[in-house]
Amino acid sequence: METINRRKFVKQTITAAAALAVPASVFAHETRAALQFTQVVLPYAANALEPNIDALTMEIHYGKHHAAYIKNVNDAIAAENIPYSTEKDFFANASKLSAKAKNNGGGAWNHNFFWQVMSPNASGTPYGKLVAALDGAFGSVPKFKEQFTAAAMSRFGSGWAWLVKDGNTLKIGSTPNQDNPMMDSSELKGTPLLALDVWEHAYYLKYQNKRNEYVANWWNVVNWDEVAKRLN
Ligand code: MN
């Protein structure tokens, strides 16, 4: 009996020692589910937002631009062995990412968000508790729209306009390129409630240089249900 117990003890000790000898990083690598960005399915047909956003713009925007951001960020995550396993951690560490990972990661996430905050069956105006929140933060819904439009119009070059919730405060702002308010490197910080893409690729085919007309018509397709859902 003593021999069996001793053997068992020795065997267990060797197993434990072997396990300890494996570098922790190997386990981390094996057990970690690598972050993968996935392109959401467009929640409506490409022509569903006509005449506010034209079908060809939607097809190129979703099928080419957005698809490329998704592919490129996933390539960067694999090639650079990026260790973050959630989108939240990825953006919270944006300042440490390569330009490729940061720009394409932002592009991947921002567009997934953008498609969902638009709808062909939009009500045209916010309602319910969202109205109270916008009134409280900006004075009134028209004043909120004015300030958001100003943020979209004053963003020089490519970028995004945002409504975010930072703690209990609603804020309007904009970010350059594919930055978003979840990035540690972003001046504007908070949880996105609404976003507007003001890259020329988002409007140029239909509106050419008239970003103001694009922004004005975009209000017709804002999905206030989605915005209200994110207010909680
Ligand atoms: Mn875009």
Side-chain angles (χ1 to χ4, degrees), residues 87-88 90-94 102 105-107 109-111 113-114 148 155 159-167 169-196:
E87 291 174 352
K88 189 168 176 268
F90 182 89
F91 293 123
N93 291 282
K102 180 186 170 188
W109 194 94
N110 296 352
H111 289 86
F113 183 79
F114 186 49
F148 190 97
R155 169 49 56 192
W160 293 76
W162 302 89
L163 171 67
V164 301
K165 190 179 176 187
D166 188 13
T169 309
L170 296 189
K171 288 188 204 164
I172 289 167
S174 72
T175 55
N177 306 313
Q178 295 295 356
D179 288 6
N180 69 45
M182 298 174 300
M183 291 182 176
D184 64 342
S185 53
S186 176
E187 203 177 305
L188 175 72
K189 287 202 172 60
T191 304
L193 304 182
L194 180 63
L196 171 58

Side-chain angles (χ1 to χ4, degrees), residues 61 111 160 197 201:
H61 201 177
H111 289 86
W160 293 76
D197 188 343
H201 70 221

